[in-house]
Amino acid sequence: MPGGDRARAFEQLLDDDEVAAEASQVLEPVYEMSEDWTHYVNALRVQHRFASEPRQRLQLLTRVADTYFQHLVDTERGFMSLCEAFREMPSDTATLQRLEMLASEHALFEAVAELTGDLAASVEDVSLSRSLWITTARIHESQLQNMEAAVSAYRKALEVDAGDFEVLGLLDALYRGAQRWHELVGVLRARVEAHSVPDDKIGVLAEMARIHADLLDEADQSIVLQNEILEIDPTNRDALSALDDLLARQGLWSDLVDNVERQLSMNDDPHEQTVLLLRLAEIREERLGSTDSAIEIYRDVLANDASNPAALGALERLLESSEHQAAVADILEPIYKDGGASARLVDVYEIQAHHATAPERRLERFNEIAKLHNVSVLNVNELAGAMRPVYLPGEEVMVTIVKEGKEPGQGVAYLDDGTMVVVEEGRDRIGQDVDLVVTSTLQTSAGRMIFGRFAQDTDDHDRSAERRVGKE
């Protein structure tokens, strides 16, 4: 039988399923040698139809595709045949790479993305499905600039594993590139939930807080996230510092006071403590109107550093306030005195004298001012004592008896300078002005006392004494 007749005989067998596979294998080299590429493709497809092993089916369809590309110059059919080949074995990365290369040359990425998406949704292998969804998302994102389709594919991948860090990272990069901050925050929240290490959670929460504060202008949400960090790590200084700025921005002054006090409780560094105390005083004075509390904080700062310029400046400013200057003056007095600040000390003494309620305190302050000006000053009590009149025994004085004395029959009177006068037999003449003769004086720790009797009684006593002398 001539060669052509033999080939036609085998071709008739291709319709017989029982021998079609064997017949196609016989015909394949015949068609190749004769460069009968159309029939060659047909022979390969018959073999594919009866092949059972995925790798073999992939190889047969790949040869079909190559025949279209190389001999039939039919790119469309070659591409479609290669797509069929990939469907036979979606895990074959070489075929996928070739498809993407062809897509790049002939603008066929839409078809590749559709192919990988269909396969991702249908394959049973979870790992393969995830990989195909990532490939689909990547093509939509980088080749087709279809952000929504890319997001949808990444979300499909996350349905396999919500804590997939690679996919979350890819979504993260996509949203950052598109400046879709709210969606990015959602991805970051998923990453927080996926992390098991506290420090890793804190890092992502800090990033979320920064996005809310700086990019979305949502300080309230940022505050919530910083507090979430502090629930994980109550001593996290970055979170406490960030809260300082956020609470101030929102005008949440009471919360800010709590935050600063929290930082104070965990800080042992003297310099940092001073900085925090000054911040606390500023908030209490300027934002909460609690100047008294602020003054006490400034006092504490100066107790540790008497030359602290911020605390001194604040208190000197408050010296101008009539409401608070007395308390401030008491704080500044020893500091100015130890520092030799005479001019400022004079101002402090003047304020203390102005606010003094006791005359003695006022005079004491004026005395201190005089000393600073090198003016000699007499002791007021000594001067008052020296100015009091001196009454000697035998001298007369008029007084008003005002009350009973301690001893029977005694009355008590007072001179204008406050000197007590004890009057013999004066009890019955309370409320009356009487002339007395001084009989004696007594100096005590409380002052001088004068003793006397009525002048008439003294004259009668003297005349009786004279009569006794005459009889003798």
Side-chain angles (χ1 to χ4, degrees):
M1 180 181 296
D5 292 339
R6 187 182 302 113
R8 282 190 290 275
F10 276 101
E11 287 174 351
Q12 292 176 2
L13 297 176
L14 292 177
D15 296 328
D16 186 346
D17 289 348
E18 291 186 1
V19 294
E22 290 80 0
S24 65
Q25 290 175 4
V26 172
L27 290 170
E28 175 192 339
V30 174
Y31 293 145
E32 184 177 11
M33 291 180 65
S34 63
E35 297 185 356
D36 186 351
W37 302 117
T38 301
H39 286 94
Y40 179 77
V41 166
N42 186 55
L44 292 175
R45 285 195 173 279
V46 171
Q47 294 179 53
H48 167 264
R49 181 158 56 92
F50 289 99
S52 59
E53 202 271 324
R55 173 63 64 180
Q56 183 183 10
R57 294 171 65 84
L58 167 70
Q59 291 173 345
L60 288 167
L61 288 174
T62 301
R63 290 169 65 188
V64 170
D66 289 339
T67 302
Y68 279 119
F69 291 133
Q70 297 171 12
H71 301 294
L72 296 174
V73 194
D74 190 338
T75 301
E76 181 179 355
R77 289 190 177 184
F79 178 78
M80 296 305 298
S81 298
L82 200 59
C83 287
E84 289 183 66
F86 187 62
R87 284 184 181 276
E88 294 292 348
M89 198 172 181
S91 62
D92 188 75
T93 56
T95 302
L96 177 60
Q97 289 174 358
R98 190 174 177 187
L99 281 170
E100 291 192 53
M101 184 178 64
L102 287 167
S104 178
E105 294 173 355
H106 302 285
L108 296 170
F109 277 112
E110 190 75 46
V112 176
E114 183 179 355
L115 172 64
T116 55
D118 288 345
L119 290 171
S122 61
V123 297
E124 295 181 357
D125 187 319
V126 172
S127 177
L128 179 57
S129 175
R130 169 190 175 277
S131 177
L132 289 168
W133 280 126
I134 292 175
T135 298
T136 304
R138 176 173 52 79
I139 293 172
H140 279 299
E141 179 183 356
S142 61
Q143 302 299 333
L144 301 174
Q145 286 72 51
N146 188 338
M147 296 297 108
E148 295 306 322
V151 168
S152 177
Y154 283 133
R155 293 291 182 190
K156 289 290 186 181
L158 288 175
E159 290 179 8
V160 177
D161 178 8
D164 190 321
F165 286 111
E166 180 185 357
V167 177
L168 290 171
L170 292 168
L171 262 179
D172 182 310
L174 185 152
Y175 285 138
R176 286 180 194 275
Q179 298 187 354
R180 293 168 58 167
W181 307 120
H182 280 107
E183 290 93 336
L184 175 58
V185 167
V187 171
L188 294 175
R189 172 55 70 182
R191 291 178 63 182
V192 170
E193 301 304 323
H195 279 302
S196 58
V197 178
D199 285 347
D200 293 338
K201 287 180 177 287
I202 287 172
V204 181
L205 286 169
E207 174 68 2
M208 293 171 65
R210 186 191 67 79
I211 291 171
H212 277 293
D214 299 340
L215 301 177
L216 295 175
D217 195 23
E218 295 175 351
D220 288 343
Q221 284 299 316
S222 186
I223 289 171
V224 170
L225 289 163
Q226 296 293 356
N227 280 319
E228 188 174 343
I229 291 174
L230 291 173
E231 289 177 5
I232 300 173
D233 177 11
T235 63
N236 190 285
R237 295 193 177 188
D238 289 338
L240 290 167
S241 177
L243 269 180
D244 254 20
D245 295 335
L246 291 166
L247 293 171
R249 187 192 304 182
Q250 296 301 99
L252 300 172
W253 306 116
S254 294
D255 292 338
L256 181 54
V257 164
D258 293 340
N259 189 59
V260 175
E261 289 178 341
R262 188 174 187 176
Q263 294 177 69
L264 271 170
S265 68
M266 52 177 277
N267 201 314
D268 297 326
D269 182 84
H271 173 71
E272 291 185 10
Q273 281 190 333
T274 297
V275 172
L276 289 169
L277 282 170
L278 291 172
R279 174 115 166 96
L280 185 61
E282 176 190 2
I283 297 167
R284 288 193 177 279
E285 178 188 354
E286 297 182 6
R287 302 299 183 178
L288 297 178
S290 182
T291 306
D292 290 337
S293 297
I295 289 172
E296 290 305 311
I297 295 172
Y298 293 134
R299 183 200 297 272
D300 292 340
V301 171
L302 292 173
N304 295 319
D305 179 11
S307 62
N308 185 277
L312 282 173
L315 289 178
E316 287 170 350
R317 171 173 48 80
L318 288 170
L319 275 178
E320 304 299 322
S321 167
S322 59
E323 182 181 356
H324 303 288
Q325 62 182 191
V328 172
D330 290 342
I331 297 173
L332 292 177
E333 178 194 354
I335 296 173
Y336 288 162
K337 187 179 293 184
D338 293 341
S342 300
R344 293 181 176 179
L345 193 56
V346 168
D347 294 337
V348 166
Y349 285 149
E350 289 178 349
I351 290 171
Q352 291 175 328
H354 175 74
H355 288 275
T357 56
E360 294 83 358
R361 170 68 171 171
R362 188 176 296 112
L363 289 172
E364 178 191 2
R365 297 294 86 184
F366 286 139
N367 284 344
E368 294 295 338
I369 293 172
K371 289 178 183 178
L372 289 173
H373 288 296
N374 296 318
V375 176
S376 298
V377 179
L378 289 174
N379 182 284
V380 176
N381 292 329
E382 293 176 355
L383 179 61
M387 294 296 292
R388 288 173 180 168
V390 177
Y391 292 95
L392 299 176
E395 292 184 341
E396 293 189 2
V397 61
M398 178 179 285
V399 297
T400 301
I401 300 175
V402 296
K403 63 179 182 178
E404 298 179 7
K406 292 184 178 180
E407 299 299 328
Q410 285 183 344
V412 175
Y414 292 94
L415 299 180
D416 291 339
D417 62 8
T419 300
M420 178 185 288
V421 181
V422 179
V423 184
E424 294 181 15
E425 305 302 330
R427 176 178 179 181
D428 294 336
R429 302 183 68 174
I430 292 174
Q432 297 179 19
D433 296 333
V434 297
D435 291 321
L436 299 180
V437 175
V438 176
T439 57
S440 65
T441 62
L442 176 65
Q443 185 68 41
T444 70
S445 60
R448 182 182 301 167
M449 293 179 64
I450 296 176
F451 294 87
R453 61 167 61 96
F454 297 124
Q456 183 179 356
D457 294 343
T458 301
D459 292 340
D460 292 343
H461 176 77
D462 291 343
R463 284 194 292 271
S464 296
E466 290 174 357
R467 283 196 295 270
R468 285 196 300 273
V469 170
K471 290 179 180 180
E472 293 175 355

